Amino acid sequence: MNLSPLQIARYEYSPKLPGMLRNGVSEISVKVGEPTQSVADQDKIKALFPNTYGKEEIKFEKGTNTAAPKKQVVGVILSGGQAPGGHNVVCGLYDALKATNPENVLLGFKGGPSGLLEDDFIEMTDEYINQYRNTGGFDIIGSGRTKLETVPQFEIATEVCKKHGVTAIVIIGGDDSNTNAAVLAEYMAANNTGVQVIGCPKTIDGDLKNEDIEISFGFDTATKTYSELIGNIERDCNSAKKYWHFIKVMGRSASHVALECALETQANICLIGEEVAAKKQSLADITKQIADAVEARGNNGENFGVAIIPEGIVEFVPEFGKLIAEINELLAGEKTAEFNALPSWEAKYAFIEAGLTKESMAVFAMLPTGIQQQLFLERDPHGNVQVSLIESEKLFAELVKNELAARKEAGTYKGKCGFLTHFFGYEGRCAFPSNFDADYCYSLGYNAFMLISYGYTGYLSKVSNLSAPAEEWVAGGMPITKMMNIERRNGEDKPVIRKALVELDGAPFKFFEANRDKWAVETCFLYPGAIQYYGPASVCDITTKTLKLEQEAK
Amino acid sequence: MNLSPLQIARYEYSPKLPGMLRNGVSEISVKVGEPTQSVADQDKIKALFPNTYGKEEIKFEKGTNTAAPKKQVVGVILSGGQAPGGHNVVCGLYDALKATNPENVLLGFKGGPSGLLEDDFIEMTDEYINQYRNTGGFDIIGSGRTKLETVPQFEIATEVCKKHGVTAIVIIGGDDSNTNAAVLAEYMAANNTGVQVIGCPKTIDGDLKNEDIEISFGFDTATKTYSELIGNIERDCNSAKKYWHFIKVMGRSASHVALECALETQANICLIGEEVAAKKQSLADITKQIADAVEARGNNGENFGVAIIPEGIVEFVPEFGKLIAEINELLAGEKTAEFNALPSWEAKYAFIEAGLTKESMAVFAMLPTGIQQQLFLERDPHGNVQVSLIESEKLFAELVKNELAARKEAGTYKGKCGFLTHFFGYEGRCAFPSNFDADYCYSLGYNAFMLISYGYTGYLSKVSNLSAPAEEWVAGGMPITKMMNIERRNGEDKPVIRKALVELDGAPFKFFEANRDKWAVETCFLYPGAIQYYGPASVCDITTKTLKLEQEAK
């Protein structure tokens, strides 16, 4: 196998465990805390999870290990989008499992949850797992997006577990996957299968966050990677002094990634979807906000800048949501065929104009032609507009360009600049995990096995106090049901883990809000540079600004 | 000033000089070599450069400094696109200048060569320059693309130099800027202005390379940055196993950057423009080549991959060049207005169909609509197609998608994958310079001052033996005229530095060629990870594969 120098070097890195897990597995005991309640809808959640609801939070501490010395066969699953550090969760799990009993077995189900249903796995060995220590990616077993949520699936999973003597499953995933872990745990308990289920909080999006999850793994590395690139682009535009760069960053609906990148790089503009929704901003409002910054900077002779656009932004613009709903309606059922049969874009445009309300047509008319066509021509298998494909970085660049042209005409804007757009997403999901993510993930996996060993099920592997040095981290477990509430999803009431959006009264947003007017007009760029794995702690052990601000505010 | 942790840490880095420059300025003497000749067109070049042609190559060595102790006022200019390490050239120049005589002065002309013409500069001080040590960007004085090439410009430059007592100018730039440096040096010598001119070889594109320039600065850091991202994407697609990523990388016409990234990451496909031209490949040929790899991998169950596309690729496809020429002809002069007045794209398409030759129309018809429209709608001020704006990564993704659909229809292709596209360019031009670029650039700047101090003009600051440790680097100077030949540019014979394209019989391409069939079908990805500035030498002092292979072949 042909390896990069960094990959070879990273094999030698020893991830740091929380102090209380450093004494060897024989010296880890449980401290049982208070029984828990779900964050809302307690009666409904309790009724849905009679066997796993209301359990106690637990913490580990130094003390004699009193777990039953049963042989464990653990299955591990990587679910959903990649996040840096996933391999280390598996490695931590493996190391704790083998340290407890060399006869214990770790099975890696391949290609996500479908691996469990298809009985497709590999058994982990030292030789195999050592190739993946401290590396990025989910290629150790692959990932997938199959949802484990129906009883027939659970029945198959039970059969597969029985066949291989599986005693526990660890699901590494986001909010949906951990919700599914809780449901599976309840099923396994209700049916006395003897299979425990433990979840681990993964997502670069940062939207799996609550009282018990300070940060999901991968957010640290992904935002550092995007911030490296944004910082490099800031420096480029501050050198060439003639471009504004509009940069979309991944992160689904929530704007956590964009906000963290803004705090890391002090870009001139960062849109926050949650704020757009709260203030019911229109496309014109947002355009004006950005154009004001371009104009103010241009009038200072600074005809360059950087604007960060969260991936989910357009979903938060009320008038845009209305437009999308109308388009979906306009092309519902047979009307798609009628539309498609129209001979030219001009004819299609007339059809659209006749079908939309005046308000939505006004929004539609503002859009660049490319995006207008995309809304009608690229549709998902259900005929719906694919909002996630909308190139919002190009949309806002175009709208701002038009606005500035109008202002130039009117004589208020005197500057001159070009516009360039970027989208950063895939680049950050499989980077080598930062030391933080390497340590955190290894700890989550190690800790997950301790929860299994002590017989817990329906728990999330919880490691907290994460802005302190790893020595002071707190390891333990929290019933997943504690994080759940009932939400309406696809017309049904479902128990789910509440998705965390950016809180407009939270410390990270408040800090951003207090500084953004200055950052917009002045050039306050910060250049974070590439993630460092070596060197002074000041460069290789940096906490995200989001976590730091949140922890300081506690 | 608010600084990132890495920026603070990098201020402490001491760039490494070649051994012979490490003994202090008083211990640097000159070893004069043989007189030189231009690489071609000797008589013509000699006639154009009567005062600066044919001078000796020189090297520095340890020995008593015999340079005249004259006070120096040096002006420095950053020319053209940013490249990591530019700040260190200025720092090295400053340190050597001040070490020689604290009364010496360094002026930084702002915003590129225009700063000299507009008499716009700042005087460098310790305090100012220390903010820029070992950082990326050209923001220390800004850059620009004004070409210094006419006598009226030279007259102004002479006036500005006289006004401030400037004794020498250092131009940091690419092939054109160094050509201009040679012409300016000749003018200054012919007119007895007393102003010396020294060039430094800059460009991330890697196309300023010859017998005397082993590598231009910035290539190392930029290709490492792109390779980091390409490697991360490789790992992502090897985890999700459902996407092919088409990644365009910057680098102008030459494919050096793409080739280096391919060697660093072992991507499945890398197009090389120079090979496309040599083999006279068509769009269909290239599409077939990529589709064959997608099909072969798909038939092995590997429905994912990475293809690297050099920025300049379409210019090398003969039939595409012909199409562009015909389009420029078709819309020349008043015909643009006629074309623009056509009411719909359908009408425009008919106009195009009537105007192109059958062969070119066949090429045009292959293109995705977005690119067809771009060719006609986005034109430069002279009405010409803007080839550099063509999204060739999208072009080839679309062509390959269509080809695979046809093969699926025919039953030969059984796989299924999605396509995603990226463009990496601006991200890499202003990264913190790698240790190599930090050292090399500092050495170039330091060495440039030694050349000034010994009275040389029309010389390039030359540092060689660069794949060895810095201790063994060789510092000296080479007359720029030695690298020149006569080329036809815009209808005129011009003395220029020959632009280096990828040599198809050179070691880097040969290595790529020997491995690419395997890389195309198997998954041999290398994941280089982020540039490391600290840690073991194996990760923080890595030579580019291109340079290593070239040096080994010597």
Side-chain angles (χ1 to χ4, degrees):
Chain A
M1 204 173 173
N2 202 346
L3 301 168
S4 78
L6 186 64
Q7 183 149 338
I8 294 167
R10 290 309 282 165
Y11 286 157
E12 303 303 315
Y13 181 74
S14 295
K16 297 185 278 291
L17 283 171
M20 66 196 63
L21 298 181
R22 291 185 188 178
N23 308 298
V25 285
S26 63
E27 286 293 317
I28 300 175
S29 69
V30 170
K31 187 180 173 189
V32 178
E34 297 298 311
T36 58
Q37 290 213 318
S38 61
V39 288
D41 309 309
Q42 288 85 2
D43 292 344
K44 287 183 184 166
I45 305 283
K46 187 176 178 180
L48 289 164
F49 295 89
N51 295 280
T52 51
Y53 185 84
K55 303 290 184 200
E56 301 86 1
E57 169 170 19
I58 70 115
K59 288 180 186 166
F60 291 111
E61 58 184 9
K62 190 176 174 186
T64 307
N65 188 328
T66 59
K70 149 185 164 189
K71 179 185 165 187
Q72 301 280 1
V73 178
V74 177
V76 63
I77 294 169
L78 290 164
S79 181
Q82 283 74 250
H87 287 169
N88 269 25
V89 181
V90 180
C91 294
L93 178 60
Y94 179 84
D95 286 355
L97 172 146
K98 289 292 183 186
T100 299
N101 181 352
E103 301 296 311
N104 286 344
V105 172
L106 181 61
L107 307 180
F109 287 102
K110 289 166 76 177
S114 63
L116 176 59
L117 302 178
E118 294 162 7
D119 195 10
D120 184 13
F121 65 87
I122 46 172
E123 185 179 330
M124 297 288 168
T125 60
D126 284 0
E127 195 189 357
Y128 186 77
I129 212 159
N130 287 344
Q131 300 175 69
Y132 294 94
R133 292 186 185 272
N134 309 304
T135 60
F138 279 8
D139 44 303
I140 187 169
I141 46 177
S143 185
R145 296 188 182 272
T146 303
K147 290 189 193 304
L148 281 185
E149 51 185 359
T150 69
V151 170
Q153 289 177 321
F154 296 161
E155 287 168 355
I156 297 170
T158 305
E159 281 310 304
V160 172
C161 288
K162 200 181 279 177
K163 182 172 165 193
H164 304 293
V166 170
T167 54
I169 294 172
V170 174
I171 296 178
I172 301 167
D175 54 336
D176 282 348
S177 302
N178 278 288
T179 291
N180 295 343
V183 177
L184 180 62
E186 177 63 27
Y187 175 90
M188 291 294 188
N191 292 278
N192 295 310
T193 60
V195 180
Q196 299 159 241
V197 183
I198 301 292
C200 287
K202 170 230 72 171
T203 175
I204 67 157
D205 302 341
D207 58 2
L208 175 53
K209 180 163 72 171
N210 53 44
E211 239 180 45
D212 296 302
I213 302 175
E214 295 179 1
I215 187 172
S216 54
F217 80 76
F219 180 76
D220 186 271
T221 308
T223 54
K224 283 183 165 69
T225 303
Y226 304 144
S227 296
E228 170 199 356
L229 303 179
I230 296 169
N232 287 357
I233 287 173
E234 286 180 340
R235 196 135 212 175
D236 201 78
C237 78
N238 191 19
S239 301
K241 299 188 190 294
K242 60 184 180 184
Y243 291 118
W244 265 80
H245 295 262
F246 282 54
I247 304 173
K248 184 168 74 174
V249 290
M250 218 176 227
R252 294 295 178 106
S253 297
S255 298
H256 299 290
V257 171
L259 178 56
E260 173 64 21
C261 291
L263 297 173
E264 295 273 359
T265 63
Q266 300 183 178
N268 304 100
I269 295 285
C270 176
L271 303 179
I272 301 294
E274 293 82 346
E275 184 184 27
V276 166
K279 296 185 173 170
K280 298 191 172 44
Q281 290 182 314
S282 64
L283 291 181
D285 293 336
I286 299 170
T287 302
K288 180 180 180 306
Q289 180 200 339
I290 304 175
D292 285 351
V294 178
E295 178 178 323
R297 290 176 61 76
N299 291 345
N300 294 341
E302 308 238 286
N303 289 297
F304 61 91
V306 169
I308 301 174
I309 317 278
E311 184 181 11
I313 189 72
V314 291
E315 299 169 43
F316 286 97
V317 179
E319 64 181 12
F320 200 87
K322 190 162 175 296
L323 169 65
I324 299 298
E326 285 189 28
I327 292 174
N328 287 337
E329 186 60 31
L330 187 58
L331 296 194
E334 292 165 12
K335 283 180 278 182
T336 295
E338 182 187 337
F339 176 81
N340 289 343
L342 295 170
S344 68
W345 174 244
E346 286 69 19
K348 289 184 163 90
Y349 197 92
F351 175 95
I352 295 163
E353 197 156 21
L356 295 179
T357 61
K358 204 176 145 202
E359 296 73 33
S360 287
M361 188 59 210
V363 176
F364 187 76
M366 273 181 77
L367 305 177
T369 309
I371 289 180
Q372 289 178 336
Q373 295 184 340
Q374 192 184 20
L375 290 176
F376 277 88
L377 305 179
E378 294 175 22
R379 308 169 67 74
D380 74 13
H382 309 289
N384 290 319
V385 172
Q386 300 192 70
V387 178
S388 68
L389 293 185
I390 294 171
E391 295 183 301
S392 46
E393 69 282 19
K394 292 191 178 169
L395 168 62
F396 286 110
E398 193 70 23
L399 292 178
V400 169
K401 196 153 76 170
N402 296 343
E403 170 70 17
L404 291 170
R407 293 186 186 190
K408 186 154 247 178
E409 192 90 343
T412 54
Y413 170 61
K414 299 177 177 28
K416 178 172 187 275
C417 66
F419 291 87
L420 295 167
T421 61
H422 312 262
F423 170 44
F424 297 136
Y426 298 93
E427 297 81 353
R429 307 195 313 175
C430 291
F432 284 90
S434 63
N435 291 345
F436 174 85
D437 270 328
D439 298 347
Y440 179 39
C441 289
Y442 188 82
S443 299
L444 285 170
Y446 199 98
N447 189 57
F449 185 75
M450 298 320 301
L451 290 169
I452 291 168
S453 150
Y454 274 103
Y456 292 98
T457 189
Y459 273 65
L460 186 104
S461 178
K462 175 177 171 179
V463 178
S464 53
N465 198 31
L466 293 169
S467 64
E471 171 70 34
E472 299 164 33
W473 289 359
V474 178
M478 179 61 75
I480 300 174
T481 51
K482 194 249 176 181
M483 303 162 201
M484 297 177 93
N485 65 171
I486 300 288
E487 291 181 18
R488 199 93 188 146
R489 297 267 173 103
N490 301 320
E492 271 184 88
D493 277 348
K494 290 260 188 186
V496 296
I497 298 174
R498 194 183 275 171
K499 212 184 257 296
L501 297 178
V502 171
E503 291 177 9
L504 300 184
D505 55 359
F509 181 80
K510 284 285 175 199
F511 183 85
F512 169 68
E513 196 178 30
N515 286 283
R516 65 176 162 187
D517 291 346
K518 181 178 158 76
W519 296 351
V521 179
E522 300 177 24
T523 298
C524 305
F525 298 154
L526 277 184
Y527 312 121
I531 297 184
Q532 295 302 297
Y533 302 95
Y534 302 97
S538 65
V539 304
C540 68
D541 290 313
I542 308 171
T543 304
T544 63
K545 305 250 179 188
T546 301
L547 180 61
K548 188 161 178 283
L549 289 164
E550 284 172 345
Q551 297 278 304
E552 285 170 358
K554 267 190 184 169
Chain B
M1 203 173 173
N2 202 346
L3 300 169
S4 79
L6 186 64
Q7 183 151 340
I8 294 167
R10 291 309 282 166
Y11 287 157
E12 302 304 317
Y13 181 74
S14 294
K16 297 186 278 289
L17 283 171
M20 66 197 62
L21 299 181
R22 289 185 188 177
N23 307 299
V25 286
S26 63
E27 286 295 317
I28 299 175
S29 69
V30 171
K31 186 179 173 192
V32 178
E34 297 298 311
T36 58
Q37 289 212 319
S38 61
V39 287
D41 309 310
Q42 287 85 4
D43 293 345
K44 286 183 183 165
I45 305 283
K46 187 175 179 180
L48 289 164
F49 296 90
N51 296 280
T52 52
Y53 185 84
K55 304 289 183 197
E56 299 86 4
E57 170 171 19
I58 69 115
K59 287 181 186 165
F60 291 111
E61 58 184 8
K62 190 174 174 187
T64 307
N65 188 328
T66 59
K70 147 185 163 188
K71 180 186 164 184
Q72 301 279 2
V73 178
V74 178
V76 63
I77 294 169
L78 291 164
S79 181
Q82 284 73 251
H87 287 168
N88 269 26
V89 181
V90 181
C91 294
L93 178 61
Y94 179 84
D95 287 355
L97 172 146
K98 288 291 182 185
T100 300
N101 180 353
E103 301 296 309
N104 285 345
V105 172
L106 181 61
L107 307 180
F109 288 101
K110 289 166 77 176
S114 63
L116 175 59
L117 303 179
E118 293 161 7
D119 194 9
D120 185 12
F121 65 87
I122 47 172
E123 184 179 330
M124 297 288 169
T125 60
D126 286 357
E127 195 190 358
Y128 186 77
I129 212 159
N130 287 343
Q131 300 174 69
Y132 294 93
R133 292 186 186 271
N134 308 304
T135 60
F138 278 9
D139 43 303
I140 187 169
I141 45 177
S143 185
R145 296 189 181 272
T146 302
K147 290 188 192 306
L148 281 184
E149 51 187 357
T150 68
V151 169
Q153 287 177 324
F154 296 162
E155 288 168 355
I156 297 171
T158 305
E159 280 311 303
V160 171
C161 288
K162 198 181 281 176
K163 183 170 164 195
H164 304 293
V166 170
T167 54
I169 294 172
V170 175
I171 295 180
I172 301 167
D175 55 335
D176 281 348
S177 301
N178 277 289
T179 292
N180 294 343
V183 178
L184 181 62
E186 177 64 28
Y187 176 91
M188 292 294 189
N191 292 277
N192 295 310
T193 60
V195 179
Q196 299 159 240
V197 182
I198 300 292
C200 286
K202 171 229 71 168
T203 175
I204 67 158
D205 302 340
D207 58 4
L208 176 52
K209 180 162 71 171
N210 53 44
E211 240 179 42
D212 296 301
I213 302 175
E214 295 180 2
I215 187 172
S216 55
F217 80 76
F219 180 75
D220 185 272
T221 307
T223 55
K224 283 184 166 69
T225 302
Y226 305 145
S227 296
E228 169 199 358
L229 303 178
I230 295 169
N232 288 357
I233 286 173
E234 285 180 339
R235 195 135 212 173
D236 200 80
C237 78
N238 191 19
S239 301
K241 299 189 190 295
K242 60 182 179 185
Y243 290 117
W244 267 80
H245 295 261
F246 283 54
I247 304 174
K248 184 168 74 176
V249 290
M250 218 176 228
R252 294 295 180 106
S253 297
S255 298
H256 299 290
V257 171
L259 178 57
E260 172 65 21
C261 292
L263 297 173
E264 295 273 358
T265 63
Q266 300 184 179
N268 304 101
I269 295 284
C270 177
L271 305 179
I272 301 294
E274 291 82 347
E275 184 183 26
V276 166
K279 296 186 174 170
K280 298 192 172 42
Q281 291 182 312
S282 65
L283 291 181
D285 293 335
I286 299 170
T287 302
K288 180 180 180 307
Q289 179 199 342
I290 304 175
D292 286 350
V294 178
E295 179 179 322
R297 289 176 61 77
N299 292 345
N300 294 341
E302 307 239 286
N303 290 297
F304 59 91
V306 168
I308 301 175
I309 318 278
E311 184 181 12
I313 189 71
V314 292
E315 299 169 43
F316 286 98
V317 179
E319 65 181 10
F320 200 88
K322 188 161 175 296
L323 169 65
I324 300 298
E326 286 190 27
I327 292 176
N328 286 337
E329 187 59 32
L330 187 59
L331 296 195
E334 290 167 12
K335 285 182 275 182
T336 295
E338 183 188 335
F339 176 82
N340 288 343
L342 295 170
S344 69
W345 175 244
E346 286 71 19
K348 290 185 162 91
Y349 196 93
F351 176 94
I352 295 163
E353 199 158 17
L356 294 180
T357 61
K358 205 178 145 204
E359 297 72 33
S360 287
M361 188 59 210
V363 176
F364 187 74
M366 275 182 74
L367 305 177
T369 310
I371 290 180
Q372 289 180 335
Q373 296 185 340
Q374 194 185 18
L375 289 177
F376 278 88
L377 305 179
E378 295 174 22
R379 308 169 68 74
D380 75 11
H382 310 289
N384 291 320
V385 171
Q386 300 192 68
V387 178
S388 68
L389 292 185
I390 293 171
E391 296 183 301
S392 46
E393 70 282 19
K394 292 191 180 171
L395 167 62
F396 286 109
E398 193 70 22
L399 292 177
V400 169
K401 196 154 76 173
N402 296 343
E403 169 69 16
L404 291 170
R407 294 186 186 191
K408 185 154 247 177
E409 192 90 346
T412 53
Y413 171 59
K414 298 178 177 27
K416 180 173 187 273
C417 66
F419 291 88
L420 295 167
T421 60
H422 312 261
F423 170 43
F424 298 135
Y426 298 93
E427 297 80 352
R429 308 196 310 176
C430 290
F432 284 90
S434 63
N435 290 346
F436 173 85
D437 270 328
D439 298 347
Y440 180 39
C441 290
Y442 188 82
S443 299
L444 285 171
Y446 199 98
N447 188 58
F449 185 74
M450 298 321 300
L451 290 170
I452 292 168
S453 149
Y454 273 104
Y456 293 98
T457 189
Y459 273 64
L460 187 102
S461 178
K462 174 177 171 179
V463 178
S464 52
N465 197 30
L466 293 168
S467 64
E471 170 70 33
E472 299 164 33
W473 290 358
V474 179
M478 178 62 73
I480 299 174
T481 50
K482 193 248 177 184
M483 303 163 202
M484 297 176 95
N485 66 172
I486 299 289
E487 291 180 20
R488 197 94 189 144
R489 298 266 174 103
N490 301 319
E492 271 184 89
D493 277 348
K494 289 262 190 184
V496 296
I497 297 175
R498 194 184 275 173
K499 211 184 258 297
L501 297 178
V502 170
E503 291 176 9
L504 300 184
D505 56 359
F509 181 79
K510 284 286 173 199
F511 183 85
F512 169 68
E513 196 179 29
N515 285 282
R516 65 175 162 188
D517 291 346
K518 181 177 157 76
W519 296 352
V521 178
E522 299 176 25
T523 298
C524 304
F525 297 156
L526 278 184
Y527 311 120
I531 298 184
Q532 296 302 296
Y533 303 96
Y534 302 97
S538 65
V539 304
C540 68
D541 289 313
I542 307 171
T543 303
T544 62
K545 306 251 179 188
T546 302
L547 180 61
K548 189 161 175 287
L549 290 164
E550 284 171 345
Q551 297 278 305
E552 285 169 359
K554 267 189 186 171

